Amino acid sequence: MPGLRGRLLVEGWGGTWQRMTRTKQVATDAMDTPLNRCLSTLDITLLGIGHMVGAGIYVLTGTVAKDTAGPGIILSFLLAGFASLLAALCYAEFGARVPKAGSAYVYTYVTIGEFWAFVIGWNIVLEHMIGAASVARAWSGYMDSLFDGALSNATVTYIGTLHAGLLAPYPDFLAFAVTLVYCGFLTLGVKGSAYFNSIFTLINLCVMAFVIVAGMMFADVGNWNTEKGFLPFGVSGVVAGAATCFYAFVGFDSIATAGEEAKDPARSIPQATLVSMSVVTIGYIMVGATLTLMVPYYTLNPAAALPDAFAAHGANWAKYVVSVGAICGMTTTLFGSLFSLPRCVYAMAADGLLFSWLARVSDKTKVPVITLILCGFLSAVIALVFDIEKLVEFMSIGTLMAYTIVSASVIILRYQPSSRCNIKSPSHSNTQAASTPGTVTTPTTPTSVDDIAKTDGEGGELRSSCRWLLHVVGRQEAGTVATWGVVIFTVSSAALCSLLQWGGSHLALPYPSPWAIILALLLVAVQVFSVVVILAHRQNNLVLSFSVPLVPLLPLVSIFFNVALMVHLNPMTWIRFIVWMVLGLVLYFAYGQHHSREGEPVSSYSTLLTEPAPAGNTVFGSVQHTLSHVTAKIASAASEDKKPIVDESHIDDDDL
């Protein structure tokens, strides 16, 4: 049966979820990858910072401050940064578990399954493609501003304008060219590209520090006390601004994408993720504050906000310093998008979900050259004709969805039994022998309170103190109820945020509608109950080089923030997203499902990190199924049709 490889959960369209177990097979060579493991922690950290610190500061700050949030852009960056940090923590844990190329695609693959992994991977492709295109247009815009609009004027004069809603006012040939040039640099190899990125990132950080220090010399608190106040667009403007500002933080997932090219990914990825997120969030908030204190928000030039703000105070020389930093920053951001995009496509192609020739790696440079050239060309075409503002908003929805599923996946894995996570629990390391490759261990379902107590430590079991929930959720396999708790929390969060967004007037004082209040309270009650149900189960006690603290609370907060920001996006963005997903699903069912490597004994990316290894000696584990056993389980479940996992006859009444 196709499409059943590498799953902890098998999703059935009829609503039945069936468990599949994993066994442990330790690889003898940690370098078993066609890519080149040569990146240090510093290289990966600067890659993440360079990807994030670019158009977000030099272009997006002016756009959001003027049209969406005003001086409240500080709160927008704070909110977006907090939500991104929560997602970054989840990425960091998965980076310790699964240090492979593909980022959220791989994380979803090993946690939820192939179909949802394709959905996420398809959106990541869109994210990085649009990211590269939008930054290329921003790069071109800054160069144009240095020449007082000579480039754009010449294009309009000799080429003409574009007359369509989604298209830019004029074709941007400079953006098209610069995308192809940087793509060419990336084909030379990852180490040389990393040096290039590190130099430009350090220059950019110096310019950002200059903007904050020099800009504060022209600060005027009166610019925050305009007629409309500090929040001229209200709280909704802050939230809408935060949804757009997510664009400024999407670069941290490029750190996870580099997992297969890091020397010590289990340690480097978590450290690089946390350091880069902290530096960038503080930098964004400080630059946003500086900009809106220098000049009134309504006078900002979205195309070149910082240079014009300095020019308004007579510091014309600063305009060129900032422009140099902007060019360096947008260069590294463009580099980061073009670096991550082909690696995600490569990961999907290696699993058979995209055309196999996209997974070819150059023997000389250890880079997927064909994929890189193709992705670079498509990004260049998008940069040529599309408008940056439309691109940024369209990009955010795929990013937020990826963050949501990665956060949910962290909870799901934490509440799976240790034997299903391919990592042996330390508490059992001295009493149980390592699993033999090719064998399958089937965790049993606790059938009584005594059995629940005996299995403490595996993970996913109901706590003995919460046995009253047995009358509500019934007797389920370990981890099943916690998984459904995450699903219910996510759905109820989406419903609550939709109610607040489109039915907020019915909740407003002094005359709120009774139905709206009842519905809101009901949704909140469902959220609280789902959290209680998750907390009532035990987590496994696996030890990783990095683990998200306060699970499941922090990942659940991350899910709620991501869903709230998705709801605040423009409805047209959702329509474009649906169109993109329809195209992806056609590709999946027409090609990917039939060429999937999920049914093979070992799939390239169906891997989980085994127990932590010392630095420089990372050990990998690969998923190994007994396919006949899996097929038998599925056939048995299908024939029994919703039959309880545990036979009632095997449970004594005293156990209840």
Side-chain angles (χ1 to χ4, degrees):
M1 179 177 291
L4 294 175
R5 170 77 177 95
R7 301 182 183 178
L8 291 178
L9 298 173
V10 179
E11 57 272 5
W13 295 109
T16 303
W17 288 40
Q18 301 165 340
R19 295 287 182 188
M20 296 173 64
T21 59
R22 299 183 180 274
T23 59
K24 176 180 176 183
Q25 181 184 21
V26 179
T28 58
D29 188 2
M31 307 292 288
D32 186 17
T33 170
L35 303 181
N36 184 17
R37 289 198 178 276
C38 60
L39 299 181
S40 65
T41 301
L42 179 61
D43 292 331
I44 299 176
T45 302
L46 291 176
L47 174 66
I49 293 176
H51 195 174
M52 288 184 279
V53 180
I57 281 184
Y58 299 105
V59 176
L60 198 61
T61 303
T63 301
V64 175
K66 182 177 182 179
D67 301 327
T68 309
I73 189 175
I74 299 172
L75 301 179
S76 295
F77 273 127
L78 182 63
L79 181 60
F82 177 71
S84 296
L85 180 61
L86 295 178
L89 292 173
C90 297
Y91 270 77
E93 175 170 323
F94 266 108
R97 286 182 183 270
V98 195
K100 302 285 283 183
S103 186
Y105 161 74
V106 177
Y107 304 163
T108 306
Y109 195 107
V110 301
T111 308
I112 301 178
E114 180 190 89
F115 175 78
W116 290 107
F118 178 86
V119 171
I120 291 302
W122 188 245
N123 280 287
I124 291 175
V125 170
L126 175 68
E127 169 195 329
H128 291 305
M129 192 177 297
I130 290 180
S134 59
V135 173
R137 286 199 70 94
W139 193 98
S140 174
Y142 252 82
M143 290 296 294
D144 189 38
S145 69
L146 291 177
F147 294 97
D148 297 322
L151 299 176
S152 58
N153 292 334
T155 303
V156 171
T157 301
Y158 295 104
I159 303 298
T161 59
L162 302 175
H163 303 282
L166 293 177
L167 302 182
Y170 59 89
D172 196 333
F173 293 99
L174 181 58
F176 179 85
V178 74
T179 302
L180 294 181
V181 169
Y182 288 149
C183 181
F185 283 140
L186 285 168
T187 61
L188 301 179
V190 64
K191 192 60 179 178
S193 301
Y195 285 137
F196 173 83
N197 173 79
S198 298
I199 292 172
F200 277 78
T201 298
L202 291 174
I203 295 175
N204 187 27
L205 290 176
C206 291
V207 173
M208 186 170 69
F210 164 80
V211 167
I212 296 171
V213 175
M216 282 299 179
M217 297 173 63
F218 304 107
D220 182 5
V221 180
N223 291 325
W224 282 2
N225 297 322
T226 60
E227 294 181 0
K228 296 184 179 180
F230 182 74
L231 301 177
F233 299 94
V235 176
S236 61
V238 171
V239 177
T244 303
C245 286
F246 248 79
Y247 166 76
F249 294 93
V250 297
F252 77 80
D253 61 354
S254 64
I255 296 173
T257 306
E260 202 163 340
E261 289 159 299
K263 293 178 181 177
D264 184 15
R267 298 184 183 278
S268 295
I269 292 178
Q271 292 174 6
T273 300
L274 298 179
V275 171
S276 62
M277 278 297 303
S278 301
V279 170
V280 170
T281 301
I282 294 172
Y284 277 144
I285 293 173
M286 293 300 297
V287 170
T290 301
L291 179 63
T292 52
L293 284 171
M294 290 178 67
V295 294
Y297 74 92
Y298 49 81
T299 65
L300 292 171
N301 175 15
L306 287 171
D308 286 3
F310 278 101
H313 290 278
N316 292 317
W317 57 271
K319 172 180 179 179
Y320 297 100
V321 176
V322 173
S323 295
V324 169
I327 295 300
C328 291
M330 286 181 283
T331 295
T332 57
T333 303
L334 178 58
F335 171 89
S337 294
L338 292 176
F339 177 90
S340 303
L341 174 58
R343 283 156 178 81
C344 182
V345 174
Y346 158 76
M348 297 176 70
D351 283 336
L353 302 184
L354 297 179
F355 305 111
S356 59
W357 51 269
L358 293 172
R360 295 175 185 171
V361 176
S362 170
D363 294 332
K364 183 177 181 181
T365 63
K366 303 298 182 182
V367 170
V369 175
I370 296 177
T371 303
L372 179 56
I373 294 174
L374 176 62
C375 293
F377 177 76
L378 293 177
S379 298
V381 171
I382 295 174
L384 178 67
V385 297
F386 284 97
D387 180 50
I388 183 173
E389 185 177 351
K390 302 296 190 302
L391 293 177
V392 168
E393 195 169 70
F394 191 22
M395 174 183 172
S396 296
I397 189 169
T399 305
L400 291 168
M401 179 170 289
Y403 290 176
T404 300
I405 291 189
V406 169
S407 298
S409 298
V410 166
I411 304 175
I412 292 174
L413 275 188
R414 284 290 190 92
Y415 287 91
Q416 295 296 318
S418 303
S419 56
R420 294 180 187 168
C421 295
N422 247 11
I423 310 174
K424 186 179 295 184
S425 171
S427 62
H428 295 83
S429 60
N430 296 327
T431 59
Q432 294 180 358
S435 301
T436 303
T439 63
V440 173
T441 57
T442 306
T444 58
T445 302
T447 58
S448 69
V449 175
D450 291 337
D451 289 336
I452 292 174
K454 292 176 182 178
T455 57
D456 287 352
E458 270 290 292
E461 313 90 354
L462 187 66
R463 298 177 185 271
S464 57
S465 59
C466 300
R467 55 183 179 272
W468 55 272
L469 275 175
L470 285 173
H471 300 286
V472 179
V473 300
R475 290 169 293 276
Q476 305 291 340
E477 272 192 287
T480 302
V481 177
T483 298
W484 279 108
V486 175
V487 174
I488 294 172
F489 179 88
T490 304
V491 173
S492 59
S493 295
L496 179 61
C497 292
S498 299
L499 175 63
L500 296 176
Q501 173 67 9
W502 291 296
S505 59
H506 295 283
L507 293 169
L509 298 175
Y511 303 109
S513 301
W515 68 267
I517 295 177
I518 294 174
L519 181 57
L521 292 176
L522 178 61
L523 292 173
V524 171
V526 171
Q527 286 182 307
V528 173
F529 177 74
S530 62
V531 174
V532 170
V533 168
I534 296 173
L535 289 172
H537 291 75
R538 294 185 179 276
Q539 299 181 28
N540 57 51
N541 56 354
L542 304 178
V543 178
L544 301 172
S545 59
F546 177 83
S547 298
V548 179
L550 300 178
V551 173
L553 299 182
L554 284 186
L556 289 176
V557 172
S558 176
I559 291 172
F560 183 81
F561 269 97
N562 296 332
V563 170
L565 293 175
M566 278 193 284
V567 169
H568 276 80
L569 292 174
N570 191 303
M572 281 302 299
T573 302
W574 281 95
I575 295 176
R576 298 169 197 141
F577 169 76
I578 292 172
V579 172
W580 174 254
M581 283 309 308
V582 168
L583 294 176
L585 293 178
V586 170
L587 177 61
Y588 174 76
F589 288 111
Y591 179 87
Q593 190 179 39
H594 302 290
H595 295 81
S596 170
R597 299 182 60 189
E598 203 176 26
E600 296 182 4
V602 177
S603 180
S604 301
Y605 284 86
S606 302
T607 60
L608 287 174
L609 183 65
T610 61
E611 50 198 59
N617 189 29
T618 307
V619 182
F620 292 84
S622 60
V623 177
Q624 185 76 11
H625 281 298
T626 300
L627 296 179
S628 59
H629 175 82
V630 172
T631 305
K633 275 190 74 175
I634 295 173
S636 175
S639 63
E640 294 178 6
D641 191 17
K642 298 184 179 180
K643 180 179 178 180
I645 298 174
V646 179
D647 194 334
E648 298 286 348
S649 62
H650 293 168
I651 304 175
D652 298 329
D653 294 335
D654 294 337
D655 292 332
L656 301 177

